[in-house]
Amino acid sequence: MNLYKHLDDHVETYLSAILLIFFSFLCIFQVVMRYIFNESLTWSEELSRYAFVWFVYTSAAFAVRYQRHVKFNFLVNILHKISPTYSQILKIIALFCWVGFLIFVDYYSVQTVMNQFNMGQVSPANQIPMYIVYLGLPMGALLMTFRVTQHIVNGFKELKNIKESH
């Protein structure tokens, strides 16, 4: 249970950190090779680009986990002054809308990965199967869906606490 809790708290942190380090190392390596050794490497540029794409999607899940994403709380804040209950209900409705959009993204990103897998396309420089590159999108979207679902559950708990305190 401790391992689950630890991974639940930090999976996006670990994935994002590893990908950021990997991406940064490849970029620095490419610059050193190009400007010190006058040798340009195609494989490192392509691999760093794919690592960056994966980093973006895992970092998006990180932002959702820690509620660091862009959000417009103007209406929620005004409504909170009038009624904390209605404010919390509005937050939950917004989260349901968000999870609905994410389910749409989940479905179509998995379809895209399956299409790439069936086509058998590989990357030009590294010959990496492109479905692995595309796998970053459903992985990030599924993590975001999971995190938004956790926020919905927590939203209902907060709503219950608000109602009990009044």
Side-chain angles (χ1 to χ4, degrees), residues 60 63-72 95 98 148 151:
V64 172
R65 165 72 174 100
Y66 295 102
Q67 298 185 13
R68 300 287 190 257
H69 50 279
V70 175
K71 52 188 170 185
F72 299 98
L95 289 169
W98 193 5
V148 172
H151 290 310

Side-chain angles (χ1 to χ4, degrees), residues 24-38:
S24 299
F25 172 77
L26 285 174
C27 288
I28 292 168
F29 183 66
Q30 176 70 358
V31 168
V32 168
M33 290 302 293
R34 183 176 296 150
Y35 290 106
I36 294 178
F37 298 106
N38 285 333

Side-chain angles (χ1 to χ4, degrees), residues 12 30 66 75 125 161 164:
E12 295 94 346
Q30 176 70 358
Y66 295 102
L75 187 58
N161 290 339
E164 287 174 355

Side-chain angles (χ1 to χ4, degrees), residues 43-92:
W43 66 267
S44 66
E45 188 275 329
E46 182 183 85
L47 198 56
S48 67
R49 184 176 343 126
Y50 297 152
F52 181 71
V53 168
W54 272 63
F55 169 74
V56 166
Y57 292 120
T58 57
S59 296
F62 176 88
V64 172
R65 165 72 174 100
Y66 295 102
Q67 298 185 13
R68 300 287 190 257
H69 50 279
V70 175
K71 52 188 170 185
F72 299 98
N73 285 333
F74 179 72
L75 187 58
V76 171
N77 292 340
I78 289 175
L79 197 55
H80 185 74
K81 292 176 185 173
I82 299 168
S83 170
T85 303
Y86 292 146
S87 174
Q88 189 62 30
I89 290 171
L90 182 61
K91 285 181 190 178
I92 293 170

Side-chain angles (χ1 to χ4, degrees), residues 4-14 16 57-71 95 98 102 140-152 154:
Y4 170 76
K5 173 116 175 71
H6 184 75
L7 284 176
D8 181 47
D9 289 343
H10 301 291
V11 69
E12 295 94 346
T13 307
Y14 293 146
S16 295
Y57 292 120
T58 57
S59 296
F62 176 88
V64 172
R65 165 72 174 100
Y66 295 102
Q67 298 185 13
R68 300 287 190 257
H69 50 279
V70 175
K71 52 188 170 185
L95 289 169
W98 193 5
L102 286 170
L142 287 167
L143 275 170
M144 284 188 278
T145 304
F146 177 69
R147 295 305 184 184
V148 172
T149 304
Q150 284 181 324
H151 290 310
I152 289 171
N154 291 336

